[in-house]
Amino acid sequence: MGDKVIFGGIEMANPLIASSSPLTETVRKVHCCREATFGGVILKTAADYLRTGKGYGRKVVFIGEDYYADASYEREILTLEEGMALFRGALSVAGDMAVIPSVSANSMEAEDWVFICRRFEDLGARLIQLDFFYLGTGILPEDEGFYKRLGEFLATLQSRLHCIVMPKLNFHFDPEKTCKALAEYGIRQVSLLDSIRFALPARFGLHRDTTSYFGRKQLPLTRMYLQHAVEAGLEICAGGGVSGPEDVELLLENGAKLVQTASYVLKNGFGSAPALLRGEPASQGRLTWCEAEGYGGKGCEFCGFCRETGQAEAL
């Protein structure tokens, strides 16, 4: 399934990566990713915070080839302790599959990120994704100085760690300015592209500020960011909008070293992953977010993604 690839000095069996998602939020699902012959997994994002028990669960609206996922911060983001436990468990089942933690913080203070990154580094992490999704638009001022501060922040963070940091960009970051800043300040790896914030009409019952779009409409954005990252000489783990093997081939041909995906497998089952690199149509599996646990089993949230549960929106 594809050729071996070196990314950030790490050898991976192939360029297909399971992105940070429901595919990578439990040890059992990481094991399923290994069985599906992924080259690596990016674990569900963790942050250094105390969960208060408030918040709400996950809900998904599936419309044709697109889906819209809504969940609170406390549902989607693991605590530091949960993230470390997941990383340890993932290493125990991953075999030769690369395991990449994903971390987040609600500031651009290097110290906040150094603390959590070092915890994973101490557990053996060689590459860590920096999840900027929850920084939001308010911390991204539209001035030329922002990208210099971003570069300085990342350079400081990298200088205080032995592992490699890989920022995951969201579409609030100007692609050209960001990629130039990463290159100028010595950051060589980048992850593209995060989900798109999207608000559906109130009748769907989704929260405006926490609903994200996933689907093929992301692909043109991913390609635009990919182009600027290639021009800046970065190593790229690209994804967002992958709907079949032709999209994986397109991203690899245009300069990505790795291609990450989640929605394709969430729609078609873990067994569909090899088709993405072999260029074959996926066998039609069940539509599920929780294939590892099974319908109605432990961990099922009745999120509405799986048509067979009868919970999907009638459209």
Side-chain angles (χ1 to χ4, degrees):
M1 181 182 169
D3 298 322
K4 290 184 178 181
V5 59
I6 304 295
F7 186 87
I10 301 170
E11 183 177 276
M12 302 185 191
N14 64 71
L16 192 64
I17 306 297
S19 56
S20 179
S21 69
L23 295 181
T24 65
E25 65 186 4
T26 68
V27 174
R28 173 59 181 154
K29 291 177 184 179
V30 171
H31 178 71
C32 289
C33 289
R34 176 191 175 186
E35 291 183 329
T37 62
F38 276 97
V41 294
I42 303 176
L43 299 180
K44 196 70 171 170
T45 297
D48 182 29
Y49 78 105
L50 178 65
R51 184 178 290 112
T52 64
K54 297 179 181 179
Y56 45 88
R58 179 188 291 150
K59 182 177 181 181
V60 176
V61 173
F62 183 54
I63 305 176
E65 292 300 312
D66 306 322
Y67 70 86
Y68 304 82
D70 175 25
S72 64
Y73 180 93
E74 292 193 341
R75 169 59 189 84
E76 286 301 297
I77 301 299
L78 304 178
T79 65
L80 175 56
E81 291 72 22
E82 291 168 341
M84 292 171 63
L86 175 59
F87 182 67
R88 285 191 292 262
L91 289 178
S92 73
V93 301
D96 62 354
M97 183 176 67
V99 178
I100 304 166
S102 179
V103 305
S104 186
N106 289 322
S107 77
M108 283 185 63
E109 297 296 327
E111 190 62 40
D112 293 337
W113 295 80
V114 167
F115 174 77
I116 188 169
C117 287
R118 280 182 175 165
R119 301 298 295 274
F120 285 100
E121 187 177 69
D122 290 344
L123 294 176
R126 299 171 61 191
L127 174 66
I128 298 178
Q129 176 177 271
L130 310 179
D131 185 349
F132 289 156
F133 182 77
Y134 286 97
L135 287 179
T137 57
I139 204 167
L140 303 175
E142 295 181 0
D143 66 81
E144 295 299 321
F146 169 74
Y147 295 97
K148 180 175 185 291
R149 293 193 297 275
L150 175 66
E152 291 172 343
F153 154 70
L154 290 170
T156 299
L157 178 59
Q158 183 65 86
S159 70
R160 297 176 64 182
L161 298 168
H162 297 292
C163 64
I164 295 169
V165 297
M166 175 176 69
K168 183 175 186 179
L169 304 188
N170 65 50
F171 71 100
H172 296 303
F173 289 77
D174 179 274
E176 181 179 10
K177 294 176 182 177
T178 305
C179 292
K180 284 183 176 178
L182 298 187
E184 180 180 352
Y185 285 90
I187 304 301
R188 308 310 308 167
Q189 288 71 34
V190 66
S191 176
L192 311 171
L193 185 65
D194 219 322
S195 60
I196 302 171
R197 291 286 180 98
F198 198 97
L200 285 177
R203 67 186 178 90
F204 289 101
L206 305 181
H207 297 80
R208 176 175 294 273
D209 295 332
T210 53
T211 297
S212 294
Y213 165 81
F214 300 86
R216 192 166 181 81
K217 295 172 187 175
Q218 291 175 276
L219 189 60
L221 279 173
T222 300
R223 291 187 63 187
M224 179 177 66
Y225 279 73
L226 173 62
Q227 177 184 344
H228 289 291
V230 168
E231 290 173 356
L234 305 178
E235 283 193 323
I236 305 145
C237 179
V242 171
S243 300
E246 66 281 1
D247 298 328
V248 174
E249 182 178 1
L250 177 68
L251 294 176
L252 291 174
E253 287 180 346
N254 282 275
K257 270 202 167 183
L258 305 175
V259 174
Q260 54 184 307
T261 185
S263 59
Y264 180 86
V265 176
L266 290 167
K267 292 176 182 178
N268 297 294
F270 283 99
S272 69
L276 286 172
L277 287 181
R278 291 176 182 163
E280 304 166 354
S283 57
Q284 292 301 309
R286 56 190 183 185
L287 300 174
T288 179
W289 286 65
C290 52
E291 183 170 7
E293 283 76 18
Y295 298 123
K298 182 178 179 181
C300 178
E301 296 177 303
F302 299 99
C303 69
F305 192 83
C306 173
R307 289 173 174 172
E308 292 185 28
T309 66
Q311 301 294 314
E313 290 281 352
L315 299 169

